[in-house]
Amino acid sequence: MSRLKHQMHERRERILAAARSIIAESGYAGLSMRALARASQVTVPTIYNLIGSKEDVVVEAVAEQTRRFVSGLEGKADLLAVIEAAVDDFVSQPAYYRGLLPALASSSSIAGRQAQRAMRKQIEFAL
């Protein structure tokens, strides 16, 4: 991986980690691009260039989180294993999921619908 790609990847990971942290502390409504830029030590345009809008950031954070728990299944991806992995992930980060739940549960939330699709796609892949 080139140095530039490595830096971009590192910034992207910092942005997604900061987004999860802000959501855990302040909920989805508390996530703003300025707060995210401050917390991840990048500029707002960097967030838009690397990931996109607030909704895109949330979708990517959820997709990455889902990929993490699904990748931990290591060949035992039956329905029960996926459910157990999801529950373990939820229990390990209750504030994050509590902050994210309103956006995921809202049928009018674009980010919620996109995040649901991202989660579904990763879980279907595991099964």
Side-chain angles (χ1 to χ4, degrees):
M1 180 182 295
S2 74
R3 184 176 180 175
L4 178 61
K5 286 190 186 251
H6 177 73
Q7 288 174 338
M8 289 171 61
H9 178 75
E10 193 273 332
R11 285 183 189 133
R12 185 178 190 284
E13 293 300 310
R14 258 193 351 244
I15 292 165
L16 296 176
R20 285 190 293 273
S21 177
I22 292 169
I23 290 169
E25 291 173 16
S26 307
Y28 174 76
L31 179 65
S32 72
M33 295 304 267
R34 286 185 188 198
L36 183 55
R38 261 192 318 277
S40 58
Q41 300 175 337
V42 300
T43 64
V44 171
T46 297
I47 298 169
Y48 280 102
N49 288 332
L50 290 177
I51 301 174
S53 68
K54 173 182 173 177
E55 291 79 15
D56 295 330
V57 169
V58 171
V59 169
E60 285 301 309
V62 168
E64 180 187 59
Q65 192 70 30
T66 306
R67 276 192 296 274
R68 278 192 190 142
F69 80 70
V70 166
S71 70
L73 295 173
E74 301 170 6
K76 52 183 177 185
D78 60 16
L79 182 58
L80 184 57
V82 171
I83 291 169
E84 287 175 347
V87 169
D88 288 346
D89 195 57
F90 295 160
V91 168
S92 72
Q93 302 177 76
Y96 169 66
Y97 285 105
R98 206 173 11 260
L100 188 61
L101 191 58
L104 290 175
S106 172
S107 61
S108 63
S109 166
I110 293 170
R113 288 193 309 268
Q114 290 174 338
Q116 289 171 11
R117 280 194 289 275
M119 290 173 77
R120 186 177 305 119
K121 179 179 173 185
Q122 290 298 320
I123 291 170
E124 285 173 353
F125 179 75
L127 291 173

